C-alpha cells in the first residue's frame, strides 16, 4: 500500500476512511470478538460507563497502533459517546483487518500496513480533521497519543502560525522535512488551522515512554499547551505492557521474521528498563545466552544480579547473534558497529522510534547491497562481504513483524487510557497545563478488574492489619513513591 494515492478517501455512509482493503472487515470483526473476551478490564469499564455516555459528542483523535486490541479501545470510546477519528502511530504496525473492521463500523480511520512517511503524516493530519457540518473543519478536543506524534503536529503547527522559525530551518532527518511540508500545505489552505484547534483542545493522554519524555521536555520549556496524563507510568501499564507484553511479543516478531533458532544464540539487549527486562527474560527463556548493555548503574546492577553479563555493544561485536534495542534513546547501534557484527547477525528494535539504530546512515554506506527477503525483513551485505538482517526497518519489531502485545496485557494499558480520557474531560475546566498521573487507587482498580479472568483470589486485610500498616482495608495499599 506504500504507493497508495493519499489525496482521496472513501466514504462509507457518513464516515470516511482510508484502509488497505475494506473487504477484510468481517475477518477483523471475528478477531475483535475474541479480543474482547481477553480484555476484561477494558470491557468492565465500558460496561460501567456506557449507559451514562460521559464522553457524549467529545471529539477524540487517536494516534496509536491500529491493531485488533486498539479496535476494542476505539469501540469503548464510541460506546462512551465519543466522536472518534483514528490513525496509526507507526508505518508498519497497522493490522489491515482491524482497520477495515473499524472503518466498516462507521469510525473514520486512516491507516494501513506499509505506509510511507508522507502517507503516515497525511493520515495523522486527516484523523484530526473533524467536519463541522458546514463545510469547514474542527479539531480534536482530546487526543490519545502513542509516542507524541499527534501532540507534536499540533504544537509545531501552532508555533508556526505564531512565527516560530523552525518551519524554515534545516532538517536533521527526512521525516522532519515531511512534517514541515505537510504543515506548510495545511497553512496554505487553512491559515489559522492550528490556532483554532488549540482553542478547543482540552488534553492528551500519552501511552509510551518516548512520548512522555517529549511531554516533560515541552513542559520544562514552557511550550506544552494542554494538560497531559502520563499513562505510561501507571503501574498497570509500565510493569505489564512494557515488561510482560514485550516478554511475549519480541520473540513472536523475531521468529515470524526469521524462523531462527534462539536457543544457544548470543542475544544482546540494549537497555534494561521494563522493556529490556521483558526482552531479556524472553530470550533467556528460549535458551539464548543474554548480554545486557546499560548506561544506568542501577539498571546495570539489576541485570548483573539476575545473572546477565553486562558490557558494551563494542565488546559483543563478532559474537552477538541477535541485537535488540529497547532504550527510547538515539544512536544505540551505530553503522560502524553494524559493519563489525558477526555475519548473519539479526538487528531489531522494540523502542518506539526508528532512530535507535542508525538506519539512514546504514543506507548511505558506499557499496552496501540491500536484499528484501520479505516485507520488513532486509538483508544488508557490506563491501567486506559480511551481512546482517535488519527487521522492520529499525522500527518496532513486535508490531512490524508480528501483531504486537497480547490482548490481555493491552487491556491493562487501554483501561488506563480510558480512565485518563474520562478524567481529562471531567476536569477540563479545572486542570492546569501540566502532566498528571492516574491516582494509585484507580491503578489498583485496573489490576483488580483483571484478576478473576486468570483465577486470582485476593487476601483481604483485617481492620487490625490495615491499621497496623496505615492503609485503608480497601486500598490503596502502597504509597506513591513505592517502586513495584
Amino acid at each position: 500500500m506504500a504507493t497508495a494515492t493519499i489525496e482521496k478517501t472513501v466514504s462509507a455512509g457518513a464516515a470516511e476512511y482510508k484502509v488497505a482493503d475494506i473487504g477484510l472487515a468481517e475477518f477483523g470483526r471475528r478477531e475483535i470478538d475474541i479480543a474482547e473476551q481477553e480484555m476484561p478490564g477494558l470491557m468492565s469499564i465500558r460496561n460501567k460507563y456506557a449507559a451514562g455516555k460521559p464522553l457524549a459528542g467529545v471529539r477524540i483523535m487517536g494516534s496509536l497502533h491500529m491493531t485488533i486490541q486498539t479496535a476494542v479501545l476505539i469501540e469503548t470510546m464510541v460506546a462512551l459517546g465519543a466522536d472518534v477519528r483514528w490513525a496509526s502511530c507507526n508505518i508498519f504496525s497497522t493490522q489491515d483487518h482491524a482497520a477495515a473492521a473499524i472503518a466498516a463500523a462507521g469510525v473514520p480511520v486512516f491507516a494501513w500496513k506499509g505506509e510511507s512517511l508522507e502517507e503516515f503524516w497525511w493520515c495523522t493530519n486527516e484523523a484530526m480533521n473533524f467536519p463541522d457540518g458546514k463545510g469547514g473543519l474542527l479539531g480534536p478536543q482530546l487526543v490519545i497519543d502513542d509516542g507524541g506524534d499527534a501532540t507534536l503536529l499540533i504544537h509545531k503547527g501552532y508555533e508556526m502560525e505564531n512565527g516560530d522559525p523552525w518551519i524554515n530551518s534545516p532538517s536533521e532527518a527526512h521525516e522532519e522535512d515531511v512534517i514541515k511540508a505537510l504543515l506548510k500545505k495545511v497553512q496554505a489552505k487553512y491559515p489559522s488551522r492550528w490556532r483554532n484547534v488549540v482553542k478547543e483542545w482540552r488534553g492528551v493522554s500519552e501511552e509510551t515512554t518516548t512520548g512522555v519524555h517529549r511531554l516533560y521536555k515541552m513542559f520544562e520549556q514552557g511550550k506544552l499547551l494542554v494538560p497531559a496524563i502520563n499513562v505510561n507510568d501507571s503501574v498497570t501499564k509500565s510493569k505489564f505492557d512494557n515488561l510482560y507484553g514485550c516478554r511475549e511479543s519480541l520473540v513472536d516478531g523475531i521468529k515470524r521474521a526469521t524462523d531462527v533458532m534462539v536457543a544457544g544464540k548470543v542475544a544482546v539487549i540494549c537497555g534494561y528498563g521494563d522493556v529490556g527486562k521483558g526482552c531479556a527474560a524472553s530470550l533467556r527463556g528460549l535458551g539464548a545466552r543474554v548480554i545486557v548493555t546499560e548506561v544506568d548503574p542501577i539498571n546495570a546492577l539489576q541485570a548483573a544480579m539476575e545473572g546477565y553479563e553486562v558490557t558494551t555493544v563494542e565488546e559483543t561485536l563478532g559474537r552477538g547473534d541477535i541485537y535488540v534495542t529497547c532504550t527510547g534513546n538515539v544512536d544505540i547501534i551505530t553503522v560502524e558497529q553494524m559493519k563489525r557484527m558477526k555475519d548473519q547477525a539479526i538487528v531489531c528494535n522494540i523502542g518506539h522510534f526508528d532512530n535507535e539504530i542508525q538506519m539512514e546512515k546504514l543506507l548511505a554506506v558506499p557499496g552496501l547491497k540491500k536484499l528484501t527477503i520479505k516485507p520488513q525483513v532486509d538483508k544488508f551485505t557490506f563491501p567486506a562481504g559480511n551481512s546482517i538482517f535488519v527487521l522492520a526497518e529499525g522500527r518496532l519489531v513486535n508490531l512490524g513483524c508480528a501483531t504486537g502485545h497480547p490482548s490481555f496485557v493491552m487491556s491493562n494499558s487501554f483501561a488506563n487510557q480510558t480512565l485518563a480520557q474520562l478524567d481529562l474531560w471531567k476536569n477540563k475546566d479545572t486542570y492546569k497545563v501540566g502532566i498528571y498521573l492516574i491516582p494509585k487507587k484507580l491503578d489498583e482498580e485496573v489490576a483488580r478488574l483483571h484478576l478473576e479472568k486468570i483465577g486470582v483470589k485476593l487476601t483481604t486485610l483485617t481492620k487490625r492489619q490495615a491499621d497496623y500498616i496505615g492503609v485503608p482495608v480497601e486500598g490503596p495499599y502502597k504509597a506513591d513513591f513505592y517502586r513495584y
Side-chain angles (χ1 to χ4, degrees), residues 467-484:
D467 290 345
Y468 186 78
I469 60 174
V471 300
V473 169
E474 67 280 3
Y477 301 103
K478 302 291 191 295
D480 288 338
F481 56 78
Y482 182 83
R483 294 185 175 94
Y484 288 81

Side-chain angles (χ1 to χ4, degrees), residues 155 198 201-204 224-228 432-434:
H155 278 77
V198 170
W201 191 20
R202 292 295 176 266
V204 57
L224 186 63
L225 297 171
V226 292
K432 299 185 185 313
V433 172

Side-chain angles (χ1 to χ4, degrees), residues 156-218:
K156 289 299 184 185
Y158 180 80
E159 291 165 8
M160 174 190 67
E161 290 179 0
N162 286 285
D164 189 276
W166 173 84
I167 194 73
N168 294 312
S169 65
S171 299
E172 295 183 4
H174 170 60
E175 186 165 13
E176 194 173 326
D177 284 328
V178 172
I179 297 168
K180 290 173 179 176
L182 173 65
L183 288 173
K184 288 176 181 178
K185 187 174 182 179
V186 172
Q187 186 181 41
K189 191 171 184 180
Y190 304 104
S192 300
R193 168 62 176 160
W194 301 108
R195 283 194 290 261
N196 291 336
V197 168
V198 170
K199 284 178 184 176
E200 294 192 272
W201 191 20
R202 292 295 176 266
V204 57
S205 54
E206 172 55 51
E207 175 80 4
T208 199
T209 308
T210 309
V212 167
H213 287 166
R214 279 182 169 183
L215 288 173
Y216 279 109
K217 186 174 182 179
M218 284 191 288

Side-chain angles (χ1 to χ4, degrees), residues 370-393:
K370 177 184 175 182
L371 174 65
T372 298
I373 308 300
K374 59 183 178 180
Q376 286 84 62
V377 181
D378 296 307
K379 180 180 180 180
F380 293 94
T381 302
F382 295 101
N386 59 311
S387 300
I388 62 171
F389 293 92
V390 178
L391 308 185
E393 297 182 15

